Amino acid sequence: MIKDKYLFTSESVTEGHPDKVCDQISDAVLDDVLKQDSNGRVACETFITVGLVIVGGEITTHGYVDVNGLVRDVLRKIGYTDSKYGFNYKTCGILNAIGSQSPDIAQGVDIGGAGDQGLMIGYAINQTPELMPLPISLAHKLAMQLAKIRKTGVLPYLGPDGKTQVTVEFADGRPSRIDTVLLSSQHTEDILDETGKKITNRAKDEIIQEVVMPIVPKEMLDRNTKYLVNPTGKFVIGGPQSDTGMTGRKIIVDTYGGSAPHGGGAFSGKDPTKVDRSATYMARYIAKNLVAAGLCAECMVQLAYAIGVAEPVSVMVFTNGTGLVPNSRLTELVRKHFDLTPRGIIHELNLQRPIFKETAAYGHFGRELPNFSWEKTDKVDELIKDA
């Protein structure tokens, strides 16, 4: 067998990144609708730029959403509370451009059909306890740690906007060491050196010690591991002041960091009748249970739907040669043990709840939180028995 090494990189972003701000606003709108009307239909998109937030899309509900108040609350909780960060929740403009859902789409969804055509991907691999690829798992944890030390005041000079990136070296298909850790975090001017063009070495060291070291496995670090902190030199101008944001532009961050294909559909702002979201959650649920059952070490599940049709037009399980039984047999097990209709998915994963804003930053998968029903592994015993 050929022995080989390669590098693989995944990235994440903090909750203050402009695209993630938009995802959180869109999902906050969805949650507010579902609190009042579990059957509400939501397709909400958000755009943010210097001093302005635009919320649009199609919503059909018996409830009422205070879009203005909701947007400001999301921005406040993220940390855009001072103009020194280039954006202030109190003074920004907000434009509401929401309409109602097309009746042509509704007539197919009302009878239990899929809300759109498309393909959805789920993935799991036994590289981490949560059965996620290691590079994206570490990138998310570093992004969460950046936010934590900012909000708790450990490093008070950090701002809401930030990005992380982790490069892992693989040997014979398994993670062997961490090659590079990259952190870019918005900050105030008081940690710039005398040139005013870059942050001080002391600040870099503090960020490495407080962000990287508590998160990254020590046994995967060595003297050749590289640490890059704000490699442009400084990052004072950030958030919507430096870059526009839109809902749905971080779909690889949201899923598996590039370790698996992506069906193309974004998640945030979409109610669970949209299979872009709900069927992708189901595909992850399936893949994770198959790996947790020990039936394979790696699993990719593809589901595909036609608009207005309840049953998927195709189901595929692919284990990349790691399966204990053929892929075709695993596909049969999936069809037998999982209801793959939109209504079945919503019921199985209990998706008509206001749980989605929590998904809109730091990844939709791999976080085993109480409301993340697609992360449970409750099908393991019956899959093992039937296999």
Side-chain angles (χ1 to χ4, degrees):
M1 184 173 71
I2 297 175
K3 295 194 178 290
D4 199 7
K5 291 183 179 181
Y6 61 89
L7 300 178
F8 190 89
T9 302
S10 294
E11 70 159 347
S12 183
V13 299
T14 66
E15 63 208 62
H17 185 282
D19 292 332
K20 276 289 143 205
V21 172
C22 292
D23 285 345
Q24 290 167 89
I25 290 172
S26 293
D27 270 341
V29 171
L30 170 61
D31 281 355
D32 204 44
V33 169
L34 293 177
K35 285 178 186 175
Q36 307 169 65
D37 179 5
S38 62
N39 293 311
R41 301 279 169 76
V42 179
C44 180
E45 309 286 344
T46 304
F47 171 82
I48 194 168
T49 187
V50 181
L52 177 65
V53 179
I54 301 174
V55 183
E58 300 79 45
I59 296 178
T60 302
T61 180
H62 301 302
Y64 168 75
V65 178
D66 175 12
V67 172
N68 190 294
L70 184 148
V71 169
R72 296 192 194 280
D73 187 57
V74 170
L75 292 167
R76 177 184 61 81
K77 290 178 178 177
I78 290 171
Y80 284 111
T81 57
D82 194 305
S83 296
K84 67 183 178 182
Y85 299 126
F87 204 86
N88 192 323
Y89 81 100
K90 294 180 181 178
T91 58
C92 67
I94 299 172
L95 176 61
N96 182 347
I98 293 174
S100 59
Q101 185 186 45
S102 162
D104 294 349
I105 296 175
Q107 69 179 3
V109 177
D110 290 342
I111 60 173
D116 200 355
Q117 71 175 47
L119 57 113
M120 298 83 207
I121 302 291
Y123 185 74
I125 191 168
N126 62 359
Q127 291 177 6
T128 62
E130 61 271 22
L131 303 183
M132 286 287 286
L134 182 64
I136 188 64
S137 178
L138 290 177
H140 283 323
K141 290 174 181 176
L142 289 170
M144 286 189 278
Q145 182 71 359
L146 261 180
K148 178 181 176 181
I149 64 171
R150 168 177 64 88
K151 290 183 173 182
T152 57
V154 174
L155 298 181
Y157 49 76
L158 296 181
D161 194 1
K163 303 179 81 170
T164 66
Q165 187 169 286
V166 179
T167 300
V168 176
E169 183 177 288
F170 285 74
D172 302 325
R174 300 297 298 176
S176 62
R177 59 179 292 272
I178 292 172
D179 184 80
T180 307
V181 178
L182 168 59
L183 301 173
S184 294
S185 180
Q186 185 183 15
H187 58 85
T188 54
E189 293 185 344
D190 54 327
I191 60 166
L192 294 176
D193 66 10
E194 62 276 3
T195 69
K197 294 182 178 180
K198 60 181 181 178
I199 64 173
T200 63
N201 289 331
R202 177 181 176 180
K204 288 184 179 181
D205 290 341
E206 288 177 341
I207 292 171
I208 291 171
Q209 289 302 316
E210 297 293 343
V211 179
V212 179
M213 294 309 165
I215 298 300
V216 175
K218 303 294 188 297
E219 65 274 13
M220 297 195 73
L221 302 174
D222 58 34
R223 62 184 180 180
N224 294 319
T225 299
K226 297 178 284 293
Y227 305 94
L228 304 177
V229 179
N230 286 13
T232 64
K234 67 176 183 177
F235 189 0
V236 173
I237 300 172
Q241 184 183 18
S242 67
D243 191 11
T244 59
M246 294 181 68
T247 300
R249 287 206 303 198
K250 285 291 177 284
I251 57 176
I252 299 302
V253 171
D254 284 343
T255 52
Y256 307 103
S259 292
H262 195 291
F267 306 145
S268 290
K270 296 179 180 178
D271 74 78
T273 67
K274 278 73 172 175
V275 285
D276 273 346
R277 181 171 218 160
S278 55
T280 304
Y281 288 3
M282 176 57 89
R284 162 65 178 173
Y285 177 49
I286 294 167
K288 187 173 183 180
N289 273 270
L290 290 172
V291 174
L295 298 176
C296 49
E298 178 182 3
C299 183
M300 183 183 75
V301 175
Q302 186 199 68
L303 307 175
Y305 292 84
I307 189 168
V309 179
E311 291 289 343
V313 297
S314 71
V315 179
M316 182 200 73
V317 176
F318 177 72
T319 61
N320 198 23
T322 68
L324 298 184
V325 296
N327 292 334
S328 58
R329 174 58 182 150
L330 293 178
T331 301
E332 292 173 2
L333 290 175
V334 168
R335 285 189 174 274
K336 178 178 178 180
H337 291 279
F338 297 88
D339 187 341
L340 302 178
T341 66
R343 284 179 175 171
I345 293 169
I346 290 169
H347 175 74
E348 175 67 44
L349 300 181
N350 193 16
L351 295 180
Q352 287 181 306
R353 299 175 291 149
I355 61 172
F356 296 105
K357 180 177 175 292
E358 196 173 18
T359 70
Y362 311 118
H364 293 246
F365 309 118
R367 292 189 289 151
E368 295 173 332
L369 301 175
N371 287 326
F372 285 38
S373 53
W374 48 93
E375 292 297 319
K376 61 188 178 181
T377 52
D378 56 342
K379 297 282 190 178
V380 166
D381 290 342
E382 61 186 83
L383 287 170
I384 292 173
K385 182 179 179 180
D386 205 4

